[in-house]
Amino acid sequence: MQTKEKTVDWHLYAEKYDMLFSYNPFYQELYKEITKLTLEWDLKPGATIADIGAGTGNYSVTLAKQFPQASILHVDNNVEMNERARQKKEDSGLENLKIIPKGIQEVRLPSESLDGLISVHALYTFPHPAKALKKMAAWLAPGGFGILVDPGRIVNVLDWQWAIGKKLIAQYGIRKTLEIFREAKPVSRQNRYIRQMQRQEKLWTHSTEEFCEAIKNAGFKILDFKTCFRGLSDLAVVSR
Ligand SMILES: C[S@@+](CC[C@H](N)C(=O)[O-])C[C@H]1O[C@@H](n2cnc3c(N)ncnc32)[C@H](O)[C@@H]1O
């Protein structure tokens, strides 16, 4: 795992990112799975949870609602993504959600200060995933809860469009599906860049074994793991 140049244009992606949440059945399935797992966390009042690479806040906002007595740290360095998260925070009146507009590489938190930690589909794009994992492991308190999800395999955009299209046609019919696809063009474009960058080894790709190895090397304990998101991603339930 080497230092990677960060080149995905999250500014463009942010514009349509939440279409994934509204229309991508596989994103919805993953969201349900992760938020079901976080709901099982037995946290004391006053706990602190961080979402690293939190995007438009789909998970950080949910965590803030699931754990009203906890402080949720939303860490992301993209202005547009954070603006969308800020809007959701405001709409839901969430006072326990704090947006930290910084890259993981710039964030400093005390060791063992987190009781919970998630990072979903973000590690692969960090400048140095191994260093980021080490930092996260040092932040998690012994016995703390963690969920790490990362797309390790190279994205096949056409295969994804086909799989999503079939589900959308069944749900909405052809006309609405075509409309959705037209509107989601910036997302497909970014996914094509991601594929290109993965092939050029500018983004971290990994097998499930390599993912687990990196997590263990960082200092986490793996409690459970599986592949998800149509086999593209790895999901690890971790602790310290
Ligand atoms: C694919 S999005 C995932 C967002 C969210 N976790 C989700 O699943 O909906 C990846 C996010 O990682 C963020 N990101 C990229 N590099 C980062 C870095 N160095 N530090 C923190 N966040 C970063 C991007 O801005 C983007 O919002």
Side-chain angles (χ1 to χ4, degrees):
M1 210 194 316
Q2 293 161 358
T3 301
K4 310 285 184 192
E5 188 189 330
K6 179 176 169 263
T7 35
V8 184
D9 192 341
W10 296 112
H11 302 273
L12 286 175
Y13 209 154
E15 193 193 327
K16 297 286 175 192
Y17 192 81
D18 282 339
M19 284 200 74
L20 295 175
F21 195 56
S22 307
Y23 293 115
N24 182 336
F26 304 102
Y27 185 98
Q28 291 163 351
E29 201 177 291
L30 182 65
Y31 168 84
K32 275 192 205 135
E33 181 165 12
I34 293 172
T35 52
K36 193 165 164 230
L37 285 170
T38 55
L39 202 53
E40 288 169 13
W41 291 356
D42 183 16
L43 294 173
K44 54 185 186 313
T48 305
I49 307 172
D51 179 357
I52 314 291
T56 62
N58 291 334
Y59 293 95
S60 61
V61 165
T62 301
L63 285 167
K65 290 179 183 167
Q66 283 180 331
F67 300 104
Q69 313 270 23
S71 300
I72 317 300
L73 309 179
H74 167 120
V75 176
D76 202 293
N77 57 357
N78 182 266
V79 177
E80 284 84 357
M81 290 281 191
N82 287 339
E83 174 49 28
R84 281 168 169 76
R86 193 201 56 75
Q87 194 61 56
K88 290 177 196 170
K89 167 185 154 104
E90 197 180 297
D91 292 347
S92 307
L94 294 168
E95 289 185 4
N96 60 337
L97 177 65
K98 182 175 177 196
I99 296 173
I100 302 180
K102 286 185 180 173
I104 171 88
Q105 59 282 12
E106 300 144 353
V107 178
R108 304 272 172 276
L109 294 176
S111 298
E112 303 185 358
S113 58
L114 298 179
D115 304 284
L117 169 83
I118 72 164
S119 184
V120 183
H121 286 173
L123 273 162
Y124 72 104
T125 187
F126 293 167
H128 199 304
K131 274 192 193 159
L133 279 169
K134 277 208 173 94
K135 247 182 157 175
M136 293 187 213
W139 290 338
L140 193 62
F145 302 94
I147 296 171
L148 302 170
V149 184
D150 200 53
R153 269 65 73 192
I154 292 182
V155 186
N156 181 336
V157 181
L158 277 180
D159 171 66
W160 272 89
Q161 283 176 330
W162 179 241
I164 294 169
K166 272 195 296 189
K167 294 229 180 209
L168 290 183
I169 289 170
Q171 194 174 349
Y172 298 107
I174 288 185
R175 185 191 287 247
K176 170 87 176 157
T177 300
L178 289 174
E179 265 171 38
I180 296 169
F181 268 62
R182 243 193 314 275
E183 212 192 316
K185 264 192 183 157
V187 176
S188 304
R189 204 173 307 127
Q190 283 313 304
N191 284 334
R192 271 194 283 275
Y193 289 146
I194 288 173
R195 177 182 169 83
Q196 213 174 319
M197 280 181 255
Q198 284 177 316
R199 290 183 127 167
Q200 295 166 349
E201 300 190 357
K202 288 183 177 167
L203 298 174
W204 183 32
T205 54
H206 48 78
S207 64
T208 306
E209 292 70 29
E210 287 164 342
F211 185 59
C212 290
E213 201 53 35
I215 290 173
K216 280 191 272 180
N217 286 343
F220 285 107
K221 272 194 279 196
I222 298 182
L223 306 180
D224 200 5
F225 70 91
K226 59 177 288 199
T227 60
C228 57
F229 214 51
R230 303 183 65 238
L232 183 81
S233 303
D234 298 306
L235 183 159
V237 177
V238 299
S239 187
R240 276 277 319 283

